[in-house]
Amino acid sequence: RQPWPTFDEFDPTPYSAPLRRSAAIQWAGRARNEHGSVHQFSALSHAFAEARVPGHFLGVLARLLTDEVRHAELCTKMAITCDPEGAQREPDIFRWPVPRAPWLTAPGASANNGAEQAILRWAADAVLCACCIGETLSRPMLAAVATVASDPVVAAVAEQILRDENLHATFGWETLAWLMPR
């Protein structure tokens, strides 16, 4: 992983205060979404553990979870860097609701009830939504931000997240291919 961008190298002078406020709101929104991904991948990890999937899936999910935490931190720091007074002036942009997954709660498992199949069906939906669609779609958006960014700190944040999103999307497609026959 790359070292964190040096946020104090961000030069706010070329950007008006309203533009920086708008950018901060967008970065805070992205941080909120990344925080939601932590919630989603946590649920998927729990379900996979209950279904007793091979351990390498859990290992990759552990990496994805730490990536998503880092993404939320990077985006939050970028929001504060764009508008340092924003958290005091508009605290709601940093008050995030409890994350909700875009799917139903996973069915529970026990050693005797055969719920593993139900969990794997649920997991296929979750992986399709979170990784195959969500992580795949974020790649061109982040690539565009990195390409057109007029500040090297902004570009570095987008590039760091983009590198991880490629891994997350690949995990999704490969995991879905494993889940579908099951």
Side-chain angles (χ1 to χ4, degrees):
R1 294 187 176 137
Q2 296 290 322
W4 277 57
T6 309
F7 287 96
D8 46 340
E9 289 179 1
F10 176 77
D11 179 13
T13 54
Y15 313 106
S16 68
L19 181 62
R20 285 185 291 108
R21 273 194 294 277
S22 180
I25 290 168
Q26 294 302 314
W27 281 109
R30 179 74 191 192
R32 183 174 46 254
N33 292 339
E34 298 290 351
H35 184 245
S37 292
V38 171
H39 182 263
Q40 292 173 15
F41 290 143
S42 296
L44 189 57
S45 296
H46 181 81
F48 272 8
E50 286 197 357
R52 292 176 287 287
V53 302
H56 68 276
F57 288 103
L58 296 171
V60 175
L61 277 168
R63 161 71 194 264
L64 269 60
L65 277 163
T66 59
D67 288 349
E68 297 299 346
V69 170
R70 195 175 82 258
H71 298 173
E73 291 173 340
L74 282 165
C75 293
T76 299
K77 182 68 176 163
M78 193 68 243
I80 293 167
T81 298
C82 287
D83 187 14
E85 299 82 33
Q88 288 79 33
R89 188 181 58 258
E90 300 178 66
D92 285 344
I93 68 171
F94 292 103
R95 277 196 200 116
W96 305 336
V98 174
R100 288 179 6 135
W103 51 70
L104 300 174
T105 302
S110 73
N112 299 320
N113 72 3
E116 289 85 1
Q117 288 303 116
I119 293 171
L120 295 178
R121 278 191 298 277
W122 172 89
D125 286 343
V127 166
L128 177 66
C129 183
C131 297
C132 298
I133 295 173
E135 300 291 326
T136 297
L137 289 177
S138 70
R139 295 184 319 180
M141 184 272 303
L142 287 162
V145 170
T147 299
V148 303
S150 55
D151 185 88
V153 176
V154 173
V157 170
E159 288 166 357
Q160 277 199 22
I161 297 170
L162 175 60
R163 274 190 295 280
D164 293 338
E165 302 296 78
N166 288 318
L167 169 69
H168 301 181
T170 300
F171 166 80
W173 291 108
E174 290 178 2
T175 302
L176 188 63
W178 180 84
L179 285 166
M180 292 307 291
R182 286 157 184 80

